[in-house]
Amino acid sequence: MELLNKSLRELHRLIKKKEVKPSEVLRELLNRIDETEDKLNAYITVSREKAEKKAKLADEELVKLSEDEVPELFGIPLSIKDNINVENVRMTCGSKILKDFVSPYDATVIKRLRGKGAIFVGKNNLDEFAMGSSTETSFFGPTRNPWDLERVPGGSSGGSAASVSARSAIASLGSDTGGSIRQPASFCGVVGLKPTYGRVSRYGLTAFASSLDQIGPITKSVEDAAYLLNVIAGQDSKDATSAKVPVPNFLEALNGEVKGLKAGLPREYFVEGVEPEVKEAVLNAVKELEKLGVEVVEVSLPNTKYAVETYYIIAPAEASSNLGRFDGVRYTYRAKDYKDLIDMYKKTRAEGFGDEVKRRIMIGTYTLSAGYYDAYYLKAQKVRTLIYQGFQSVFKEVDFLITPVSPETAFKIGEKSSDPIKMYLSDIFTIAVNLAGLPAISVPCGFDSKGLPIGLQVIGKAFDEETVLKVADAVEKSLSLSLIPSV
Amino acid sequence: MKLSREEVLHIAHLARIELKEEEVEKFRSQLSEILTFVEKLNELDTEGIDPKFSVIPPENVLREDIPGLSLPREKVFMNAPETDGEYFIVPKVVKK
C-alpha cells in the first residue's frame, strides 16, 4: 500500500524519474480496491480493463519522454463521483433510472485531467442524484465509513471520501451543492474543497441545483487538493457560469504565511446542538492558528440560521426542473407497460427514481407552481440575498471564517434515513456557503472519543481559494494527525 | 402547510410521477412536514429585498461565431431506449 499513501506531487516525481511505472501504481490501487470493496461499497463501477490498458500505454510512452515532458498527472489513476461524465464509462448518478447509461462525452474537468495524463479507475458511489447526506439513498446500496463500518461516510460524495480515506482511491472528484464534498470529507477524515461558484466548469456534471453545484477535489491532503484544483479550475466556453477570473498556482499559496491574517468565528456556528467534542477540536485548531500569528475575532452571521430552510426551497425547485429530462425518451430507462405518452413519463419516473428524489421533485414542483411561487420560491431567493450580504459584511472585517463542518461526527447507518428533516439538518454549517457561492474546505482537526474524525471548515471570500488552502494547510501541518483507518 | 390527499396527487401529476396508493399518505405527511419546516422563513421581513437567483452577475456571455463540431448522431442516440438512428421514438401523441 506504500504507493497509495504518497502525495500526488510525490507520485508524479517517482513517475517522471522513472522510479515507478504507471502500471505499478495502478496494480497496487486495484489490489487495494479488491481488498476493501466488500466492506466499503465505495465504487459503483471499476474500469479495470480500460485503466489497465491506459496504464500499459503510459508505461510505453514514459520511456520516450524526458523528465520535463511528463505532465503532472501522467499515469496517475483517479476516481470520480458517479455524477460526472467520463466518456464511454457507465454513469448512474446512483439511480435506477440511469443504471445502464453510458457517458457520450467527457465533462470539462475530465478532459482537463486527461490532458495532464490522468487515468480514470472508477466511479464512486453517491446519494441518488447527489441528494442526501449519507450515501444511503444510492440504488447501489450504502457506502460504509472506513473508520466504523456501521456508520455512514457522509454524503452525497460518500464513495469518494470513503475510498480516499481507505486508500482505495488516490484522489477523487466530488460535487457539492449543500455540503456534499465537505461533510463526507469531515466524516471520513480527508480533505474536501468546494471551490467558488464559477471557479470550475460544471459542463458534464449532472445538474442537481445549477445555481449551487460545484465540482471539487476530495484528497488525502490540502496539497493534493491544490494540485488538482490547479488542473480543473478556469473558464470554459461550455459553461456560461464559469468565471473569467485568472487562475493562480494554488500550490504556491501553501507557504505557511498565515501571520497577520484575521480569522472570524461566527458565533451562530458554535451554539448548542454542536457536539462538545466537535467544538473542542475546532477551537483547539484555532488556538494552533493563533500561535502562528493569526488574529481571531468573533463575528455574527445572524441569517445563517435560515440557510437550511432557504436551501430546501431553492435546491428542490432547481432539481424539479433539471430532473425533468429523465422522461424515458433519451436516457436509457423506460417503463415497459403504459397506455400513452404521459403514462409512460409517470411510470418511468415512478419506477426509476427513489423516494428522496421524488420528495425533492415534488417539493420543487409545488413551490414553483402558480399561487405558491411568491410565498416559497421568491421568499427563499430574498432570504438568500440576506445570507449573501451577511457574508459580504463580515468579510470586510476578516480574511476568512472558521466553523465546524458538521455539528456531529459520522452517524449510524439507518439512524436518520426515515426522517428527511433530521437528515437535512446534518448540513446546517455547509449550506450557507453554497447559497453565497463562496469557497470552503473541510480539513481534519481531531477525533471524538469514539475515534471518529472531526472536520474543520475554512470559508473564504469569493475566488480566494488561496487563503482557504493556505489556512487549511497550516491547520493540517500544525496538528499532523494520523489519518489512516484500519479497514 | 398541511397538504391534502388531492393536492399530493395533483403535485405528483404535475411532476409526472405515478404514486402507488400506499405511497400517497406517506408523501402527504412527509411533504407537509417539509413545507412546514421551510415556512420558518416567514419570520423574516424581506420587504424591499431583491431576490438573488444567482451569485454570478447577470451578464451576457458571448463568443466568436466560429463553426465547430457538435456531438455526432450516434453519440446522441447511444442511450435512447427506442430510436431508429435518426429520431427518438415515443408513443403516439396525436390522435388520428
Side-chain angles (χ1 to χ4, degrees):
Chain A
M1 216 170 87
E2 200 207 322
L3 287 174
L4 306 178
N5 277 323
K6 301 224 179 288
S7 68
L8 291 171
R9 208 203 286 243
E10 178 62 8
L11 273 179
H12 172 56
R13 195 189 65 82
L14 290 170
I15 289 173
K16 77 176 179 190
K17 296 263 182 207
K18 302 184 171 82
E19 289 172 30
V20 168
K21 283 189 202 165
S23 60
E24 292 172 290
V25 180
L26 181 70
R27 196 175 318 126
E28 237 183 76
L29 180 60
L30 288 171
N31 287 343
R32 182 64 185 155
I33 291 174
D34 287 340
E35 203 173 275
T36 51
E37 264 309 274
D38 281 352
K39 290 178 232 169
L40 297 179
N41 193 33
Y43 285 86
I44 293 176
T45 303
V46 177
S47 309
R48 189 176 300 266
E49 278 113 57
K50 263 196 192 106
E52 277 169 345
K53 219 154 110 194
K54 292 266 186 203
K56 196 161 165 269
L57 285 174
D59 285 357
E60 288 160 15
E61 202 188 333
L62 184 62
V63 183
K64 296 178 223 148
L65 295 174
S66 72
E67 202 181 308
D68 310 336
E69 289 170 334
V70 180
E72 58 257 47
L73 288 167
F74 187 85
I76 299 181
L78 303 176
S79 73
I80 305 293
K81 187 179 184 180
D82 202 22
N83 60 350
I84 298 173
N85 281 283
V86 178
E87 192 175 359
N88 293 330
V89 175
R90 180 168 79 136
M91 179 183 71
T92 69
C93 293
S95 183
K96 183 181 171 190
I97 212 164
L98 289 179
K99 67 182 172 56
D100 300 314
F101 178 85
V102 176
S103 294
Y105 60 85
D106 274 341
T108 296
V109 290
I110 299 301
K111 203 171 260 178
R112 289 189 178 173
L113 294 169
R114 225 189 263 287
K116 298 293 181 188
I119 292 171
F120 301 101
V121 73
K123 305 296 291 289
N124 288 121
N125 202 3
L126 70 161
D127 280 295
E128 187 179 1
F129 286 105
M131 297 178 188
S133 311
S134 66
T135 317
E136 289 169 290
T137 69
S138 169
F139 175 67
F140 300 88
T143 295
R144 291 167 183 273
N145 190 315
W147 294 90
D148 178 347
L149 298 173
E150 298 304 309
R151 291 176 187 272
V152 304
S156 65
S157 311
S160 295
S163 58
V164 170
S165 163
R167 306 302 190 250
S168 63
I170 287 169
S172 183
L173 290 186
S175 68
D176 190 315
T177 306
S180 280
I181 286 175
R182 290 160 287 156
Q183 185 254 22
S186 158
F187 280 13
C188 292
V190 296
V191 171
L193 172 70
K194 184 203 92 75
T196 310
Y197 186 80
R199 178 61 99 180
V200 176
S201 167
R202 293 180 294 110
Y203 179 74
L205 167 69
T206 309
F208 159 15
S210 310
S211 80
L212 306 166
D213 298 339
Q214 264 294 286
I215 295 172
I218 295 181
T219 53
K220 296 190 287 272
S221 66
V222 177
E223 184 195 274
D224 280 1
Y227 198 93
L228 286 185
L229 186 63
N230 272 350
V231 179
I232 62 173
Q235 209 216 356
D236 173 21
S237 60
K238 291 191 163 107
D239 173 3
T241 64
S242 69
K244 218 177 196 162
V245 174
V247 178
N249 181 347
F250 295 105
L251 285 166
E252 283 172 9
L254 312 184
N255 53 16
E257 291 168 12
V258 292
K259 197 171 172 206
L261 289 178
K262 209 166 164 186
L265 300 186
R267 72 173 73 94
E268 293 81 4
Y269 285 71
F270 292 90
V271 289
E272 66 210 271
V274 183
E275 281 175 10
E277 290 177 319
V278 169
K279 191 167 157 181
E280 202 179 301
V282 172
L283 293 176
N284 173 53
V286 170
K287 274 200 204 101
E288 292 296 321
L289 287 174
E290 277 182 304
K291 280 188 215 156
L292 297 170
V294 171
E295 189 193 336
V296 180
V297 295
E298 193 182 90
V299 295
S300 175
L301 290 163
N303 292 321
T304 57
K305 69 167 184 264
Y306 298 104
V308 178
E309 290 82 353
T310 306
Y311 178 88
Y312 277 97
I313 294 175
I314 294 172
E318 294 186 19
S320 75
S321 166
N322 276 326
L323 272 63
R325 59 171 60 86
F326 302 108
D327 56 3
V329 177
R330 291 158 292 166
Y331 302 98
T332 61
Y333 190 82
R334 178 184 286 188
K336 283 209 169 58
D337 300 305
Y338 44 83
K339 51 181 199 286
D340 55 24
L341 184 67
I342 302 279
D343 195 45
M344 188 278 279
Y345 293 153
K346 286 185 176 180
K347 291 208 160 74
T348 296
R349 291 159 67 79
E351 292 169 17
F353 291 139
D355 278 2
E356 181 59 23
V357 173
K358 287 177 186 168
R359 271 192 290 276
R360 295 204 196 186
I361 290 175
M362 288 194 281
I363 286 289
T365 303
Y366 182 75
T367 59
L368 287 175
S369 65
Y372 299 100
Y373 178 90
D374 284 4
Y376 291 97
Y377 185 70
L378 199 61
K379 178 78 186 183
Q381 294 291 17
K382 288 178 178 175
V383 179
R384 184 179 188 179
T385 303
L386 296 175
I387 291 168
Y388 179 85
Q389 288 170 344
F391 279 111
Q392 298 290 99
S393 97
V394 296
F395 278 129
K396 282 183 194 133
E397 288 172 54
V398 299
D399 298 301
F400 61 92
L401 300 168
I402 288 189
T403 79
V405 175
S406 171
E408 58 190 352
T409 52
F411 47 88
K412 289 220 162 114
I413 291 176
E415 193 180 320
K416 299 187 184 200
S417 45
S418 60
D419 187 342
I421 292 173
K422 213 163 156 195
M423 188 71 87
Y424 298 171
L425 288 169
S426 171
D427 292 327
I428 191 160
F429 295 152
T430 49
I431 271 178
V433 166
N434 298 74
L435 293 167
L438 303 172
I441 199 167
S442 171
V443 62
C445 69
F447 295 89
D448 71 3
S449 48
K450 298 191 271 295
L452 300 169
I454 297 168
L456 171 147
Q457 177 172 236
V458 184
I459 306 172
K461 298 173 185 172
F463 296 103
D464 190 14
E465 284 86 357
E466 286 168 286
T467 299
V468 168
L469 289 161
K470 185 199 297 268
V471 171
D473 175 63
V475 167
E476 184 182 72
K477 287 190 176 127
S478 65
L479 296 174
S480 60
L481 301 168
S482 172
L483 286 158
I484 306 181
S486 59
V487 67
Chain B
M1 170 63 91
K2 226 174 147 129
L3 296 173
S4 68
R5 187 188 146 79
E6 288 65 40
E7 281 174 306
V8 173
L9 290 170
H10 180 60
I11 297 165
H13 167 72
L14 292 176
R16 301 291 187 259
I17 294 171
E18 185 178 79
L19 296 186
K20 290 197 197 88
E21 188 47 43
E22 64 268 25
E23 288 178 318
V24 179
E25 177 48 33
K26 179 182 75 184
F27 283 121
R28 195 199 61 75
S29 106
Q30 287 174 341
L31 300 182
S32 299
E33 260 177 60
I34 295 167
L35 288 171
T36 306
F37 171 72
V38 301
E39 276 158 19
K40 190 176 152 203
L41 296 188
N42 293 331
E43 289 171 24
L44 260 179
D45 182 9
T46 50
E47 192 62 41
I49 305 284
D50 287 329
K52 189 141 206 91
F53 295 108
S54 170
V55 293
I56 298 274
E59 273 168 16
N60 282 326
V61 180
L62 303 173
R63 60 169 172 79
E64 293 304 309
D65 186 15
I66 303 164
L69 292 176
S70 43
L71 212 56
R73 191 181 274 178
E74 58 274 21
K75 289 269 182 188
V76 171
F77 290 115
M78 66 189 261
N79 287 295
E82 205 181 340
T83 176
D84 61 1
E86 286 185 52
Y87 294 96
F88 293 101
I89 297 177
V90 297
K92 198 163 72 178
V93 188
V94 266
K95 286 181 188 134
K96 263 192 184 164

